[in-house]
Amino acid sequence: MVSWLLATPGRLYVVATLLPLAACALLLVGGCLRGVCRPYRESHPIARFLYFFLGGHRPLRSGAYLATGAMALSAALAIFGLVRYLDEYQTLSPLEMHQHWVESTTWAKVETSGATAMTLEIGYRVDHLTALMFAMVAFVSTMIFVFSIGYMADETEELHEDHEAHITRPGRFGRFFLYLSLFCFSMLNLVIADNLFQVFISWELVGVCSFFLIGFYHERPSAAFAANKAFIVNRVGDAGFLIGLAIIWSQFGTFNIERIISDLAGGDPPISHGLLVAAGIGLFLGCVGKSAQFPLHTWLPDAMEGPTPVSALIHAATMVAAGVYLVGRCFPIFTPEVRLIIAYTGGITLFLAATIALVQTDIKRVLAYSTVSQLGFMMLALGVGGWVAGLLHLLTHAFFKALLFLGSGSVILGCHHEQDLMNMGGLRRRMPVTAYTMLIGVLAISGTPFLSGWYSKDMILSNAMGFGLQNREHMVLFILPLLTAGMTAFYMFRLWFLAFAGEPRGLEAEHAHESPGVMTVPLIVLAVFSVCVAWGWPLWDPHASYLGHLLEKALPGPAHGLAIDDSTHSSGWLALVVAASGFGLALLMYGTRTIDPTVWKARAGALYTFLREKWHFDELYDAVFVRPAVALGYGTARFDKRAVPPEQADAADRAVNVSSLDGVLNALGLGTMFFGARLRGAQSGLIRRYVTVLMAAAVALVAVLVVVYVGS
Amino acid sequence: MKELFSFLPSPFDLLAACLVIGIILISFIAVSGLFFTWLERKVSGRIQDRLGPTRVGKYGLLQSVADAIKLITKEDTSPDVADKFLFKLAPYLALCASFVAFVSLPFGNGIVGHNLNVAAFFILAVLSSEVFGVILAGYASGSKWSLFGGIREAAQVVSYEVPRSMCVLIPVIVAGTLNLNTIGVQQTGFFWQWNLFHDPFTFVAFFIFFIVATASCKRAPFDLAEAESELVAGFHTEYSGIRWSIFFMAEYASMFAVSGAAAILFLGGWHSGLLPFEPSLELGWFGHVLNVVVFVLKGWLLVFVMMWMRWSLPRLRIDQVMMTCLKYFLPISCVLLVGVCLWELFVPTIVGQVWRWASAVVCALGLVVLLVQMLTKALPGPKAGLPGAWEGMPTPLLRAKSA
Amino acid sequence: MTELGLTPYLCLGAFLFACGLLCIATKRNAVGILMGVELVLNAANVNFVACARFVPSFALEGQVFALLVIVLAAGEAAIALAIILNFYNNHATVDVDRADELKG
Amino acid sequence: MILFTAIASATGLSALAVVLSRNIVRSAVWLLFTLVGVSLLYFLLGAEFVGATQLIVYVGGTMVLVVFGVMLTAQQQFLKIRTRPQEWIVGIVLAGALFTLLATVSLRLGEGRTTAPTESMPGTGQLGVGFLTTYLLPFEIISVHLLVVLIGAAYLARAKRRPREGVASD
């Protein structure tokens, strides 16, 4: 078995991907079996044995251990695969590399008349980017699995009292891990897929899992609504993705990314420029939907309804990153115009999200908007051609954002589900580990030197600066991120000071206690990683990150030379100045309370409420899209409404009766009845009337004949 | 005839010719009508062993004239409930139907109203339409009884039409044409040339035809209209005076027409049977006269036989009449028809000729013997009592003699 | 007589036909309708024979047709009368307007 | 020429009388005259055989049937059944229209054929031959048809028991 794996190490990744799926399958089967045996548990011995073996009334913890173990194993395999890939990269020729790390089988063949048969394949393709991404996702997922064992502990009770939905329901511990492992499988599958169709399948699976996990507490109406919203907005993005796919399929005839890129690179591409642009926009629209970029970003803050590990895993590290990963993977497909669109979308998103994050009071909302903003950064980087910068930021961001979210998770758990920052304060003494690990995360994200955030953000800013310098009209693409970097620092430190500094303001804050070891250990590990993951010799040179060099090796052909570094290094200094000013401002306002935030809030007034209301996007979308759709729905329903019997119908009903479809159908029926009755009259049984009609007809006929005959 | 009046402009000469012929025929029928009434009375008298009319005219010859005058002067009443128009119309219908038959009846070779080549068929047709007079009369006289009488009479005549047509067909098949004139011409020569003796079937066919003809004229044994007690005189009970006489005129006319047809079809028409040649050709105009005389004599002879039958045979009931027609006459005439056809097809001429001779000789001999016996048989003296059941009954003669 | 063309005969035929139809349409007595039918058939026959007379090629057919029509008319009249009588026996009336059981 | 007009007008008038007469028996008689008129027409046209057949079959046969029918059914109340005036009007209008149309057609038809053809109409002989050769099939069919009609009519008109009270009452 091992020899089989070592012969083609690519298969390592396949096994790593399938492990969470296996875990998920096992949990599912176990749960169903228990459900089936439940009614027979008294009467049937075997059923009774099975029922209690699978956990009886109380949800089983062993299921969770099983899932976490599987995830840890796949993480180990991922890291082993990464190391093996890196050393083989040095030793083997590209052809051997291709044999070891690329493999695919066809599972469906579409015979279209005339054109060559199109094939649908399943396969994997490992290169630097994939290996790194796979390792990151696997590792972060494992951390979150371990964390959620602690976090979801109260779900293990037989009757769990749900405060928000005010009902008591059986615990759903097993189910949570089932969804999580399914999600991990689909994320991993997305990363290693070598053709767009497989990407699309996992893309949808990921969306579905996010729907399940957001709506985990489905008794709560807000959770259900949020899950719905997330799924529908994602679907809008997926529609774009599908259009892009269709165009590519029809033009290239294949989904394989490698072959598409080689066709594009080689001389005359089989696709016209216009169509290529359309495909690019389509694919990017998918990413916008998935990574919550500017037009379709409203679902991410609402997605915080799900349990915190979910937010950490899905809405920080992995799923939202999928969009950026896809843009990175299919980078050559995007023409310059599309890249410009990507850049601007990224720019707008980061600025918008940052401004909203400034005024948010809910701890998870702040982090959500910071995620949206950071994703904007990545999109901007890719848009301006900084392929390595964008993806490096993706990797580093995954770590410290996961850290921040888990930290907030333990804070919420500590304060007994209290999420409002205003009721927190002074938690650093009660929850020292969480406080200081979150401090590291905050420092990393705001780009303090020698931490991972600094390396990637600085690289982005320098690329943006270079791009801006080269084509002056796009200078705004540098200014926006610069400002946002300052704002990021400001709201992150604001969060930290509100939560941990000062005196506890709420009741729960006083009684807060440190989370158990199973939650603090992942925090510490993640803190360590968010510090040193982007290090490279010499330490002080932002462009020297070892991870960055690895990524450069995976740079797709046409993307070479696009990244324009800022020659004057001024972008780095500017970033530092802006970040420091942000930190200073936050310190003054929340740390030492020299500037009273309430005064500024009053003065800002309209601007403050505007930002708090999330730029009224929700209302806008509601008015523009949701309400007309609903109205249309009701209209057609009304149209199809069953016709109300006349005696009971009031004026409106009567109007509807006539217009409604049923009315039309009934009218049709009545009409024929009416004419039928008329015709029946004609058959009066009176022979003489028949004869007269006969005569009339004869006369008419003869008249016609005469006219024709005599006339001619 | 048309060339006689060639001096008149085109349409009128034809008209004049038709008128002349019409007048001749009508006068002949009228005269024969009168003669027949007289003959009827005389024959019935003789058969009933009485004299018949003697007072009026030499041998009561003027009796029929007297009757005519009486009838004309009689007041012709008509029942008020009846439909006046139809009541008056009926007799004329019957009359004209029988008169029209004479149009195509050849009295002599070429002496014919209008030489139709479907003459036989025409006569049949016209005679069949005579039924209407009967029906309408029956209906128009309003009373249910006359209606019954009329309908019975009509049913009888209509049903007898079928065997009559069959029997007419038989000589037509032998002659091969419907034109009576040609049929007559074919029978020139001695009496064995007559169709009667042509083959056994025609021989029987003559007698069947004669009986059926009397029936279709509503006479003799089949005149059930007058027979029923309640029907009184059947369809013409309500008629009196001149209308009644018209009916009778029609009846005698149809009798003569039928017997004339029988004469031509079976008895050689205007041939006396004694001259081997066609008289009209050889003897010129005298031949024609001879032909006409012979034909009329034959007609009258047959009418006499009808009268003879009438006063000697008992009447038949309505169902008996129908039964005889449908169960006896129809099958017989069918058989005869088939027989004649077969005879024509298969029997060689020699056999036909032999049969002619044999049958003619036998008939002649029979006739002679019959005559001799009649003339020589001693008449029963006045003293001899009444025969059979009336034995010993006192008769006026006996009483007169005894007194 | 010969200068008379085909038209008068056809006109007479047409007239008879029209009278026949009128009779059928207006008579309320079943037998009246039967008479109307007879008239119509006769009209047709007149046309047949007239055409037979004036169209040499049609001579034989015309007459044969006329004969057939006459015979058929007789048959038809028989059946019609039988039906009328039956109707009369069953419904004690011969008025056509009463015979509307077959109405829709 | 005169003969034709006489006969034609007589037939026409009697046909009209059939329609117009109130009393059913009267119209029957007029029908009789029409039929006789028509048979005279046939004789005029030279088709003696057809004329004779018309006389025998129509006048002798059909008319007898019709008159029988009339007499058996025309009890007092059915003698004169009135029809509503508007039916009359419609009928007359339609009949008039029909007649005019057919007349125009016959005018057009008759243009080419004013003179009678030289050779006379086929006599009974040719007719007979025609019937048994070219038109044998219709001849046979007619015979079978008449047989069927005979049986049918007889069956229909057979003397049934007094119709059950239920049937006669409606």
Side-chain angles (χ1 to χ4, degrees):
Chain A
M1 171 43 185
V2 174
S3 60
W4 172 72
L5 267 177
L6 291 180
T8 47
R11 296 229 175 85
L12 270 170
Y13 281 92
V14 172
V15 168
T17 322
L18 291 180
L19 269 171
L21 184 65
C24 157
L26 267 174
L27 278 172
L28 191 66
V29 166
C32 292
L33 204 59
R34 191 173 65 145
V36 163
C37 303
R38 195 171 142 72
Y40 305 102
R41 58 185 184 284
E42 278 78 21
S43 57
H44 206 282
I46 302 171
R48 197 158 59 76
F49 164 73
L50 265 178
Y51 180 67
F52 285 105
F53 170 75
L54 288 171
H57 307 302
R58 296 182 52 259
L60 202 61
R61 283 176 151 303
S62 56
Y65 297 146
L66 181 85
T68 323
M71 204 55 223
L73 183 60
S74 90
L77 282 177
I79 291 161
F80 175 75
L82 177 61
V83 167
R84 176 120 182 125
Y85 177 78
L86 290 181
D87 72 45
E88 272 195 11
Y89 188 74
Q90 266 75 23
T91 56
L92 296 179
S93 67
L95 185 62
E96 278 165 341
M97 283 298 283
H98 195 276
Q99 269 140 16
H100 281 207
W101 297 98
V102 175
E103 200 175 356
S104 73
T105 56
T106 18
W107 59 280
K109 188 184 286 292
V110 175
E111 293 292 339
T112 52
S113 61
T116 56
M118 296 185 189
T119 55
L120 293 176
E121 296 121 358
I122 293 182
Y124 63 88
R125 179 175 176 287
V126 180
D127 63 1
H128 283 85
L129 172 62
T130 321
L132 285 173
M133 267 299 278
F134 197 94
M136 179 275 280
V137 167
F139 178 73
V140 169
S141 312
T142 322
M143 287 306 115
I144 287 169
F145 265 76
V146 168
F147 179 87
S148 50
I149 290 176
Y151 186 83
M152 300 302 277
D154 51 11
E155 281 292 337
T156 55
E157 299 140 7
E158 191 176 328
L159 279 174
H160 167 63
E161 211 282 328
D162 186 336
H163 305 298
E164 305 217 353
H166 310 301
I167 59 157
T168 56
R169 53 169 175 72
R172 283 204 288 269
F173 194 70
R175 182 175 305 177
F176 180 75
F177 282 90
L178 181 119
Y179 291 149
L180 267 187
S181 35
L182 182 64
F183 173 79
C184 292
F185 157 71
S186 42
M187 192 58 208
L188 295 175
N189 183 1
L190 192 142
V191 168
I192 61 168
D194 78 335
N195 61 50
L196 281 174
F197 192 76
Q198 192 175 342
V199 166
F200 183 72
I201 294 175
S202 35
W203 192 271
E204 294 304 325
L205 257 175
V206 165
V208 165
C209 296
S210 84
F211 170 78
F212 284 146
L213 286 167
I214 295 172
F216 187 72
Y217 302 117
H218 52 74
E219 290 82 6
R220 296 177 194 164
S222 59
F225 175 73
N228 248 338
K229 183 171 180 182
F231 193 72
I232 289 171
V233 172
N234 276 342
R235 289 309 296 167
V236 170
D238 291 353
F241 192 126
L242 209 56
I243 293 169
L245 271 189
I247 295 172
I248 289 173
W249 168 282
S250 60
Q251 297 305 320
F252 290 96
T254 169
F255 279 120
N256 193 311
I257 300 171
E258 208 177 330
R259 209 169 304 141
I260 293 173
I261 291 169
S262 58
D263 286 356
L264 272 176
D268 56 349
I271 183 168
S272 71
H273 186 71
L275 273 180
L276 191 58
V277 167
I281 292 174
L283 285 180
F284 176 63
L285 197 61
C287 306
V288 163
K290 195 61 76 180
S291 313
Q293 289 304 299
F294 158 61
L296 303 174
H297 66 286
T298 50
W299 66 274
L300 194 58
D302 297 343
M304 292 308 126
E305 284 300 323
T308 316
V310 167
S311 318
L313 176 63
I314 296 182
H315 305 129
T318 52
M319 190 172 104
V320 287
V324 177
Y325 167 75
L326 184 69
V327 171
R329 165 71 71 193
C330 320
F331 198 71
I333 293 180
F334 299 108
T335 56
E337 302 85 357
V338 176
R339 277 209 297 282
L340 202 61
I341 293 173
I342 295 173
Y344 268 98
T345 322
I348 296 166
T349 320
L350 57 88
F351 177 73
L352 170 104
T355 48
I356 297 174
L358 293 177
V359 295
Q360 287 306 323
T361 53
D362 180 329
I363 186 167
K364 289 178 78 176
R365 288 285 183 290
V366 171
L367 290 176
Y369 277 108
S370 88
T371 310
V372 173
S373 168
Q374 297 310 317
L375 286 168
F377 266 97
M378 298 173 210
M379 281 301 180
L380 181 95
L382 287 171
V384 295
W387 191 80
V388 173
L391 289 173
L392 180 62
H393 191 59
L394 169 72
L395 292 173
T396 54
H397 172 271
F399 285 105
F400 51 72
K401 189 46 69 69
L403 169 62
L404 285 171
F405 261 105
L406 293 186
S408 67
S410 72
V411 161
I412 291 166
L413 200 62
C415 313
H416 310 303
H417 293 292
E418 176 48 66
Q419 295 199 349
D420 193 344
L421 284 170
M422 293 312 164
N423 304 345
M424 298 182 193
L427 292 178
R428 68 180 183 288
R429 278 190 298 283
R430 292 169 184 70
M431 305 169 71
V433 174
T434 317
Y436 292 114
T437 49
M438 279 201 77
L439 180 62
I440 294 169
V442 165
L443 287 170
I445 194 168
S446 44
T448 49
F450 306 113
L451 275 90
S452 60
W454 179 57
Y455 290 95
S456 53
K457 188 168 278 191
D458 192 74
M459 200 185 279
I460 292 176
L461 287 175
S462 72
N463 286 344
M465 179 79 162
F467 185 78
L469 287 177
Q470 204 180 26
N471 8 43
R472 280 280 176 246
E473 73 280 12
H474 295 309
M475 203 44 192
V476 74
L477 282 181
F478 170 69
I479 293 158
L480 272 181
L482 198 61
L483 280 177
T484 313
M487 280 195 272
T488 315
F490 173 79
Y491 63 66
M492 287 317 283
F493 279 102
R494 167 175 172 272
L495 178 135
W496 198 81
F497 287 127
L498 279 177
F500 295 100
E503 295 316 313
R505 282 183 292 280
L507 198 58
E508 283 76 9
E510 271 106 25
H511 312 302
H513 52 75
E514 184 50 281
S515 317
V518 81
M519 291 170 70
T520 50
V521 164
L523 287 179
I524 296 161
V525 167
L526 280 175
V528 164
F529 266 90
S530 52
V531 169
C532 61
V533 78
W535 275 353
W537 187 260
L539 215 56
W540 52 87
D541 171 9
H543 295 288
S545 128
Y546 174 68
L547 213 59
H549 294 314
L550 280 183
L551 278 175
E552 261 147 31
K553 293 191 182 65
L555 197 63
H560 277 288
L562 271 177
I564 311 135
D565 282 338
D566 146 35
S567 53
T568 61
H569 294 294
S570 57
S571 65
W573 295 112
L574 276 173
L576 267 179
V577 163
V578 163
S581 58
F583 162 72
L585 198 62
L587 187 67
L588 290 176
M589 284 179 94
Y590 297 99
T592 59
R593 295 233 172 267
T594 49
I595 310 163
D596 183 356
T598 50
V599 165
W600 282 96
K601 191 186 295 179
R603 190 168 298 153
L607 180 63
Y608 177 78
T609 51
F610 178 71
L611 292 181
R612 199 155 48 68
E613 287 312 320
K614 305 186 273 294
W615 288 32
H616 296 297
F617 266 103
D618 283 351
E619 292 72 17
L620 176 72
Y621 284 163
D622 195 40
V624 169
F625 297 113
V626 176
R627 202 156 295 124
V630 167
L632 185 67
Y634 277 114
T636 43
R638 211 173 155 72
F639 180 73
D640 189 34
K641 195 163 77 61
R642 281 200 51 65
V644 174
E647 59 280 359
Q648 297 146 12
D650 56 9
D653 280 341
R654 220 164 290 114
V656 164
N657 271 356
V658 171
S659 69
S660 80
L661 193 61
D662 285 358
V664 166
L665 290 183
N666 295 353
L668 211 65
L670 289 177
T672 31
M673 282 270 290
F674 173 75
F675 288 116
R678 290 287 89 63
L679 279 180
R680 209 171 68 77
Q683 273 192 336
S684 63
L686 288 178
I687 300 170
R688 283 187 303 94
R689 182 170 301 172
Y690 294 162
V691 169
T692 17
V693 167
L694 203 67
M695 249 165 90
V699 165
L701 200 62
V702 168
V704 165
L705 279 178
V706 161
V707 164
V708 166
Y709 181 70
V710 170
S712 70
Chain B
M1 288 296 277
K2 220 162 72 121
E3 50 289 343
L4 289 179
F5 300 91
S6 55
F7 52 89
L8 291 169
S10 69
F12 293 105
D13 60 358
L14 181 67
L15 211 61
C18 297
L19 272 178
V20 165
I21 295 171
I23 288 162
I24 294 169
L25 282 176
I26 289 174
S27 57
F28 169 76
I29 294 167
V31 165
S32 60
L34 287 177
F35 172 67
F36 285 155
T37 44
W38 175 78
L39 185 65
E40 178 102 35
R41 283 165 175 270
K42 274 289 182 216
V43 163
S44 57
R46 279 292 177 279
I47 289 173
Q48 292 162 5
D49 202 6
R50 57 182 172 79
L51 281 181
T54 52
R55 283 200 189 69
V56 182
K58 182 65 183 77
Y59 292 104
L61 275 172
L62 298 180
Q63 174 57 34
S64 50
V65 171
D67 286 351
I69 295 165
K70 176 201 74 171
L71 287 173
I72 290 166
T73 56
K74 208 169 181 186
E75 181 253 351
D76 57 6
T77 62
S78 70
D80 56 0
V81 76
D83 185 336
K84 292 291 179 297
F85 173 72
L86 291 182
F87 188 75
K88 292 192 180 65
L89 182 69
Y92 299 116
L93 256 181
L95 188 69
C96 76
S98 349
F99 275 17
V100 169
F102 284 85
V103 163
S104 65
L105 200 63
F107 287 79
N109 179 13
I111 305 167
V112 68
H114 178 67
N115 188 5
L116 280 170
N117 56 19
V118 284
F121 193 23
F122 178 73
I123 288 182
L124 272 180
V126 168
L127 286 180
S128 72
S129 58
E130 194 207 342
V131 163
F132 267 96
V134 168
I135 297 176
L136 284 188
Y139 177 76
S141 36
S143 75
K144 203 185 298 308
W145 308 116
S146 55
L147 179 65
F148 264 96
I151 288 190
R152 280 192 179 169
E153 199 84 13
Q156 173 204 329
V157 167
V158 168
S159 52
Y160 272 92
E161 230 170 83
V162 178
R164 183 180 62 186
S165 331
M166 296 268 206
C167 297
V168 164
L169 266 179
I170 292 166
V172 162
I173 289 173
V174 166
T177 164
L178 276 168
N179 190 332
L180 288 176
N181 208 6
T182 44
I183 293 173
V185 163
Q186 279 173 2
Q187 296 173 36
T188 52
F190 292 100
F191 60 90
W192 52 79
Q193 286 301 333
W194 292 354
N195 286 345
L196 184 67
F197 307 107
H198 181 269
D199 56 57
F201 301 104
T202 46
F203 187 80
V204 172
F206 167 69
F207 295 103
I208 301 292
F209 175 74
F210 190 73
I211 299 167
V212 163
T214 46
S216 70
C217 295
K218 307 178 284 303
R219 274 194 58 78
F222 306 98
D223 57 356
L224 48 87
E226 292 85 10
E228 305 294 335
S229 53
E230 72 287 359
L231 291 187
V232 181
F235 59 92
H236 47 69
T237 35
E238 301 301 331
Y239 287 87
S240 61
I242 192 67
R243 278 195 195 79
W244 182 79
S245 67
I246 291 174
F247 262 115
F248 260 79
M249 181 94 80
E251 193 177 320
Y252 285 129
S254 64
M255 262 169 62
F256 184 80
V258 162
S259 44
I264 294 173
L265 291 171
F266 294 95
L267 302 177
W270 54 82
H271 300 286
S272 58
L274 306 174
L275 306 171
F277 50 85
E278 165 55 37
S280 60
L281 297 178
E282 273 70 15
L283 305 175
W285 65 273
F286 174 70
H288 284 292
V289 169
L290 183 65
N291 288 352
V292 169
V293 165
V294 165
F295 177 75
V296 166
L297 276 179
K298 280 185 184 173
W300 283 356
L301 180 70
L302 288 175
V303 167
F304 166 75
V305 167
M306 280 190 198
M307 289 176 186
W308 181 14
M309 256 195 337
R310 177 177 179 190
W311 294 106
S312 51
L313 293 178
R315 283 199 181 89
L316 290 171
R317 280 204 322 272
I318 173 73
D319 57 337
Q320 285 172 338
V321 165
M322 286 302 165
M323 186 260 286
T324 50
C325 166
L326 296 179
K327 288 188 181 157
Y328 295 99
F329 283 133
L330 204 55
I332 294 170
S333 47
C334 287
V335 165
L336 294 180
L337 191 64
V338 171
V340 164
C341 296
L342 295 179
W343 184 275
E344 280 294 309
L345 285 173
F346 299 112
V347 170
T349 49
I350 300 299
V351 169
Q353 203 56 32
V354 163
W355 165 265
R356 267 185 191 278
W357 287 73
S359 58
V361 164
V362 163
C363 284
L365 284 176
L367 211 63
V368 164
V369 163
L370 203 65
L371 274 175
V372 164
Q373 190 202 15
M374 259 177 60
L375 294 179
T376 56
K377 190 165 76 64
L379 281 171
K383 59 186 180 317
L386 289 174
W390 301 93
E391 205 65 31
M393 288 287 282
T395 58
L397 282 177
L398 285 178
R399 218 179 297 113
K401 200 186 286 68
S402 60
Chain C
M1 189 163 66
T2 53
E3 77 286 352
L4 213 58
L6 179 61
T7 323
Y9 288 101
L10 292 185
C11 289
L12 179 69
F15 182 75
L16 281 178
F17 185 79
C19 285
L21 267 185
L22 187 63
C23 173
I24 296 175
T26 49
K27 280 274 182 281
R28 281 189 57 179
N29 186 328
V31 181
I33 291 177
L34 191 58
M35 288 188 209
V37 169
E38 295 301 330
L39 267 178
V40 165
L41 289 169
N42 270 331
N45 257 350
V46 163
N47 281 357
F48 267 126
V49 175
C51 289
R53 178 84 179 91
F54 286 94
V55 176
S57 66
F58 187 61
L60 185 63
E61 289 78 7
Q63 292 207 351
V64 163
F65 252 89
L67 286 174
L68 292 184
V69 167
I70 293 174
V71 170
L72 276 175
E76 178 266 334
I79 287 290
L81 208 65
I83 293 172
I84 292 171
L85 284 179
N86 264 342
F87 180 75
Y88 178 67
N89 288 343
N90 293 349
H91 297 284
T93 164
V94 82
D95 174 2
V96 170
D97 290 356
R98 296 281 298 281
D100 55 4
E101 275 74 22
L102 286 179
K103 67 169 166 280
Chain D
M1 177 52 183
I2 299 169
L3 204 59
F4 165 74
T5 45
I7 296 174
S9 51
T11 328
L13 284 178
S14 44
L16 207 61
V18 165
V19 175
L20 298 179
S21 63
R22 286 279 171 279
N23 179 334
I24 192 76
V25 180
R26 282 275 174 72
S27 61
V29 169
W30 284 118
L31 182 62
L32 171 69
F33 284 125
T34 334
L35 293 180
V36 169
V38 166
S39 76
L40 285 179
L41 260 177
Y42 293 153
F43 282 112
L44 197 64
L45 280 169
E48 285 108 0
F49 186 74
V50 177
T53 326
Q54 159 98 349
L55 267 178
I56 277 197
V57 172
Y58 251 119
V59 175
T62 317
M63 269 327 286
V64 166
L65 269 177
V66 165
V67 171
F68 267 27
V70 163
M71 289 194 193
L72 287 180
T73 55
Q75 300 328 24
Q76 201 43 36
Q77 78 274 23
F78 298 120
L79 210 54
K80 299 184 184 63
I81 309 173
R82 286 283 172 283
T83 49
R84 284 184 301 283
Q86 71 268 28
E87 276 175 27
W88 267 101
I89 297 162
V90 169
I92 289 169
V93 163
L94 281 179
L98 196 64
F99 175 66
T100 43
L101 284 172
L102 292 177
T104 44
V105 168
S106 53
L107 272 175
R108 182 65 194 286
L109 208 61
E111 266 154 12
R113 294 178 186 75
T114 49
T115 58
T118 53
E119 83 282 4
S120 70
M121 294 278 275
T124 336
Q126 285 114 320
L127 267 177
V129 164
F131 257 119
L132 290 179
T133 49
T134 42
Y135 297 100
L136 182 62
L137 182 60
F139 185 69
E140 293 310 328
I141 290 177
I142 284 288
S143 53
V144 169
H145 178 266
L146 279 182
L147 181 65
V148 167
V149 161
L150 190 70
I151 297 169
Y155 175 74
L156 272 178
R158 74 191 186 296
K160 286 193 285 301
R161 309 167 255 81
R162 278 298 301 136
R164 285 175 311 289
E165 216 37 57
V167 171
S169 60
D170 65 11

